[in-house]
């Protein structure tokens, strides 16, 4: 089915195709359940949560949580929405999403376009999501880094009742200055404030929601070492590894790539994202949960990411190029739960 649909979608501008695909999925949800092979059972306990399988949807595809039932029908074990900011923002002006079809890649410079935390909360109040839901939060574009914790705390307070887990996005290349928050001292301060906020919210709501941090693939070995030390010192529960890259190696033949602003995802990101995940697992040991994302486009890619130390994986760009059958393929490639 997707093989027939993809040429039609790829004839449209990327952002238009994105909206059209989600709309078609919502309308055709009953057919999706019949047409797609159901992923095999691969339950996994991570972060104190019971995942039906370890393959999830990465943040960015459904920023505002408009299509959760339809996306869950594809067979994902969990879905992550966002990045959500406390105030609505339009993001960067279009065009801001580009296909590099020869490389099965995308460049995006969306810029945290979203309707804001309040709109997402109201939507989840009206239509609670029964599956495992990650909510990815970040600061508004015009918020200085010194006040980033306050922006994230505001999102956490409003969205805490609906989240199975929360992710703080410190790594988008499309929000100016954001990646500076990954520096060890900045991360220590920010994470400390947000962990305190999480404990207050857990006491108020009488439930504990894991708090993770999403990092970039463009970290040097010394930066990984310093961040890993902070993760261990603060006993952080987990990391999402990785976001998109600003590197463009191997894309010299692409007219869109050299000097093109934005984050690169898809096949060219695979090796870099896998190497960063492996480096963090080697330094952190088995304790923190690591969610592997970036360039996963086959069952073999999924198996390699689990072998590198991922507890869970997420898909996005691979889904654009391969279609929904990629989900079951990756679930079949997952090993048994090593923590069982």
């Amino acid at each position: 089915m997707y093989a027939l649909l993809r040429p039609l979608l790829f004839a449209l501008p990327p952002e238009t195709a994105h909206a059209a695909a989600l709309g078609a999925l919502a309308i055709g949800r009953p057919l999706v359940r019949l047409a797609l092979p159901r992923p095999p059972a691969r339950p996994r306990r991570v972060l104190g949560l019971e995942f039906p399988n370890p393959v999830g949807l990465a943040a960015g595809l459904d920023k505002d949580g408009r299509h959760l039932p339809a996306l869950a029908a594809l067979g994902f074990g969990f879905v992550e929405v966002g990045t959500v900011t406390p105030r609505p923002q339009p993001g960067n002006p279009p065009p801001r999403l580009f296909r590099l079809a020869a490389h099965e890649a995308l460049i995006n410079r969306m810029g945290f376009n979203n309707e804001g935390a309040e709109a997402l909360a109201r939507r989840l109040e009206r239509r609670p999501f029964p599956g495992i839901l990650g909510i990815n939060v970040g600061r508004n574009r015009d918020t200085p880094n010194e006040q980033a914790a306050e922006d994230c705390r505001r999102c956490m307070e409003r969205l805490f009742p609906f989240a199975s887990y929360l992710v703080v996005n410190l790594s988008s290349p499309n929000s100016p200055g954001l990646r500076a928050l990954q520096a060890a001292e900045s991360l220590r301060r920010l994470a400390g404030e947000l962990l305190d906020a999480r404990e207050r919210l857990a006491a108020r709501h009488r439930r504990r929601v894991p708090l993770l941090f999403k990092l970039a693939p463009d970290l040097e070995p010394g930066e990984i070492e310093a961040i890993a030390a902070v993760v261990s010192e603060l006993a952080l529960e987990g990391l999402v590894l990785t976001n998109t890259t600003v590197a463009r190696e191997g894309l010299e033949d692409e007219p869109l790539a050299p000097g093109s602003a934005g984050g690169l995802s898809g096949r060219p990101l695979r090796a870099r994202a896998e190497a960063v995940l492996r480096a963090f697992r080697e330094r952190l040991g088995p304790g923190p949960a690591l969610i592997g994302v970036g360039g996963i486009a086959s069952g073999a890619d999924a198996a390699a990411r689990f072998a590198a130390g991922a507890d869970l994986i997420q898909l996005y760009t691979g889904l654009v190029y391969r279609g929904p059958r990629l989900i079951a393929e990756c679930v079949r490639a997952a090993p048994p739960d090593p923590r069982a």
Side-chain angles (χ1 to χ4, degrees), residues 106-170:
L106 298 173
I107 290 176
N108 95 79
R109 47 174 178 261
M110 303 299 287
F112 284 2
N113 56 307
N114 74 105
E115 298 173 348
E118 181 61 30
L120 177 58
R122 290 181 179 178
R123 186 167 292 120
L124 293 171
E125 285 170 344
R126 292 193 305 269
R127 297 195 299 268
F129 181 61
I132 293 182
L133 178 65
I135 300 182
N136 185 306
V137 304
R139 65 158 171 80
N140 278 108
R141 182 185 182 91
D142 58 357
T143 298
N145 278 350
E146 295 75 19
Q147 298 171 24
E150 176 62 19
D151 267 19
C152 295
R153 183 191 61 76
R154 287 173 58 198
C155 290
M156 289 169 59
E157 286 187 342
R158 188 64 182 96
L159 297 168
F160 197 88
F162 314 106
S164 304
Y165 68 89
L166 289 157
V167 179
V168 179
N169 189 343
L170 304 179

Side-chain angles (χ1 to χ4, degrees), residues 302-317:
R305 205 63 55 96
F306 286 117
D311 298 288
L312 307 165
I313 64 169
Q314 293 177 324
L315 308 176
Y316 184 163
T317 303

Side-chain angles (χ1 to χ4, degrees), residues 6 10 14 97-108 244-245 247-251 254 256-257 263-270 295 297 316-322:
R6 183 180 133 163
F10 276 41
L97 184 62
F98 307 90
R99 296 187 197 98
L100 283 64
H103 298 275
E104 296 184 359
L106 298 173
I107 290 176
N108 95 79
T244 56
T245 181
R248 298 291 189 265
E249 292 96 339
L251 299 180
E254 274 288 351
L256 285 174
L264 173 71
S265 63
R267 183 158 49 88
L269 173 59
R270 179 175 59 211
Y316 184 163
T317 303
L319 195 67
V320 172
Y321 285 95
R322 289 285 317 280

Side-chain angles (χ1 to χ4, degrees), residues 75-331:
F76 286 113
F78 60 107
V79 174
E80 189 173 312
V81 299
T83 295
V84 182
T85 53
R87 290 175 283 113
Q89 61 182 31
N92 294 318
R96 53 193 183 178
L97 184 62
F98 307 90
R99 296 187 197 98
L100 283 64
H103 298 275
E104 296 184 359
L106 298 173
I107 290 176
N108 95 79
R109 47 174 178 261
M110 303 299 287
F112 284 2
N113 56 307
N114 74 105
E115 298 173 348
E118 181 61 30
L120 177 58
R122 290 181 179 178
R123 186 167 292 120
L124 293 171
E125 285 170 344
R126 292 193 305 269
R127 297 195 299 268
F129 181 61
I132 293 182
L133 178 65
I135 300 182
N136 185 306
V137 304
R139 65 158 171 80
N140 278 108
R141 182 185 182 91
D142 58 357
T143 298
N145 278 350
E146 295 75 19
Q147 298 171 24
E150 176 62 19
D151 267 19
C152 295
R153 183 191 61 76
R154 287 173 58 198
C155 290
M156 289 169 59
E157 286 187 342
R158 188 64 182 96
L159 297 168
F160 197 88
F162 314 106
S164 304
Y165 68 89
L166 289 157
V167 179
V168 179
N169 189 343
L170 304 179
S171 50
S172 170
N174 302 315
S175 193
L178 183 70
R179 287 188 169 188
L181 292 171
Q182 297 176 123
E185 280 306 313
S186 297
L187 176 61
R188 182 180 287 106
R189 287 192 299 271
L190 176 75
E193 290 183 49
L194 295 181
L195 287 171
D196 288 344
R198 193 273 306 273
E199 293 309 309
R200 292 193 297 271
L201 289 166
R204 182 191 309 169
H205 293 278
R206 298 184 179 180
R207 61 186 289 264
R208 188 174 184 82
V209 174
L211 180 64
L212 291 79
F213 295 83
K214 187 167 186 176
L215 303 179
D218 306 309
L219 297 168
E220 297 296 331
E223 294 174 308
I224 292 174
E225 198 78 46
I227 292 170
V230 173
V231 172
S232 297
E233 174 191 332
L234 298 182
L236 299 185
E237 290 150 293
L239 301 172
V240 180
L241 303 167
T242 64
N243 212 315
T244 56
T245 181
V246 296
R248 298 291 189 265
E249 292 96 339
L251 299 180
E252 291 77 14
D253 62 325
E254 274 288 351
L256 285 174
S260 176
L264 173 71
S265 63
R267 183 158 49 88
L269 173 59
R270 179 175 59 211
R272 183 180 290 262
E274 184 178 309
V276 169
L277 183 139
R278 180 179 290 107
F280 272 104
R281 181 56 80 199
E282 289 172 352
R283 287 159 176 79
L284 294 172
L290 301 184
I291 300 179
V293 57
I296 299 172
S298 68
D301 295 341
R305 205 63 55 96
F306 286 117
D311 298 288
L312 307 165
I313 64 169
Q314 293 177 324
L315 308 176
Y316 184 163
T317 303
L319 195 67
V320 172
Y321 285 95
R322 289 285 317 280
R325 288 181 180 272
L326 176 63
I327 302 164
E329 183 179 325
C330 290
V331 174

